């Protein structure tokens, strides 16, 4: 028996009421058992492809970020290399200047040794004694010197030695030799002696310093003189 729907739009309403739904479980149930495994493998492959694509995009972003960081690190390395090179140049220049300053200081420390020694020896000579020769035995900032001279009496010789030992610029004064000799013409006998002493740095309080440039003194003006 054939039934005909004479109502217009009846099939459309029935079609609208039908809803299409898809789920892997219903698909597997609708397919034969042999095709279910194929569909499952296809779904697994699609999922693996999606995960691979997501990982590829994620790794690509990390690679770009690492490239940016690497470029920044290279720039920093170049900048630090320049800084290190400049620091090495400055260090070498500082060492050179320090070496020159040390040489200058050494020269400056030793340039006043002989003036002090000669001044102290001349100041220590007592009456009835005189010096004939002063020369250096050993070098350095604290040289050893020998003093040759004549003394009218042995007391004058001992006084000379005591005065040298009392000087803050000399130490270790000792008598090397002493003998009586005749003066030229044979007028009288004197003691010819040889002394040896070493220079030593004096204590700070023994050195008197003065400013290199004294205070300026104003020249007397016309109003500074005595009035008539």
């Amino acid at each position: 028996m054939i039934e005909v729907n004479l109502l217009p739009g009846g099939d459309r309403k029935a079609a609208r009421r039908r809803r299409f739904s898809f789920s892997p479980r219903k698909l597997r149930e609708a397919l034969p058992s042999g095709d279910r495994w194929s569909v499952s493998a296809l779904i697994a492959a699609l999922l693996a492809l999606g995960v691979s694509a997501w990982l590829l995009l994620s790794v690509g972003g990390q690679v770009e970020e690492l490239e940016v960081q690497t470029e920044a690190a290279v720039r920093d390395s170049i900048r630090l290399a320049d800084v290190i090179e400049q620091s090495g140049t400055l260090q070498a220049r500082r060492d050179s200047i320090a070496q020159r300053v040390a040489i200058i200081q050494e020269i400056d420390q030793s340039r006043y040794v002989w003036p002090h020694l000669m001044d102290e020896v001349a100041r220590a000579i007592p009456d009835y004694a005189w010096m004939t020769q002063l020369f250096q035995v050993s070098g350095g900032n604290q040289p050893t010197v020998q003093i040759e001279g004549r003394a009218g009496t042995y007391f004058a010789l001992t006084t000379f030695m005591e005065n040298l030992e009392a000087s803050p610029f000399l130490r270790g004064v000792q008598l090397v030799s002493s003998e009586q000799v005749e003066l030229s013409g044979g007028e009288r006998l004197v003691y010819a002696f040889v002394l040896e002493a070493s220079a030593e740095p004096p204590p700070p309080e023994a050195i008197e310093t003065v400013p290199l440039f004294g205070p300026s003194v104003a020249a007397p003006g016309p109003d500074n003189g005595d009035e008539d």
Side-chain angles (χ1 to χ4, degrees), residues 122-133:
R123 187 180 303 173
I125 296 177
D127 296 335
Y128 307 106
W130 63 95
M131 181 180 62
T132 59
Q133 190 174 6

Side-chain angles (χ1 to χ4, degrees), residues 31-181:
L31 292 175
S33 60
D35 294 336
R36 293 176 183 176
W37 294 105
S38 300
V39 173
S40 299
L42 180 60
I43 294 173
L46 292 175
L47 291 175
L49 183 60
V51 172
S52 300
W54 178 79
L55 290 176
L56 182 61
L57 293 176
S58 177
V59 171
Q62 293 179 0
V63 168
E64 292 180 358
E65 184 178 357
L66 290 176
E67 289 179 352
V68 172
Q69 293 179 359
T70 302
E71 292 177 358
V74 170
R75 289 194 298 269
D76 291 341
S77 299
I78 296 174
R79 181 176 57 83
L80 291 177
D82 294 339
V83 172
I84 292 173
E85 184 178 0
Q86 294 177 2
S87 177
T89 303
L90 292 177
Q91 181 71 24
R93 187 178 301 175
R94 190 190 69 174
D95 295 341
S96 177
I97 294 174
Q99 184 178 5
R100 294 178 183 178
V101 169
I103 295 175
I104 293 174
Q105 288 179 346
E106 183 178 358
I107 296 175
D108 185 70
Q109 290 176 358
S110 60
R111 65 175 176 167
Y112 293 115
V113 171
W114 277 101
H116 285 153
L117 288 178
M118 296 178 68
D119 185 54
E120 293 298 312
V121 170
R123 187 180 303 173
I125 296 177
D127 296 335
Y128 307 106
W130 63 95
M131 181 180 62
T132 59
Q133 190 174 6
L134 173 66
F135 58 93
Q136 180 177 337
V137 178
S138 63
N141 294 333
Q142 300 177 15
T144 300
V145 296
Q146 279 192 356
I147 305 169
E148 295 182 4
R150 301 289 185 268
T153 62
Y154 200 79
F155 177 75
L157 175 58
T158 56
T159 302
F160 185 32
M161 294 179 62
E162 291 175 354
N163 293 340
L164 291 175
E165 191 66 40
S167 171
F169 295 90
L170 293 168
R171 61 179 174 84
V173 180
Q174 57 182 352
L175 180 63
V176 177
S177 64
S178 174
E179 60 179 352
Q180 282 188 328
V181 295

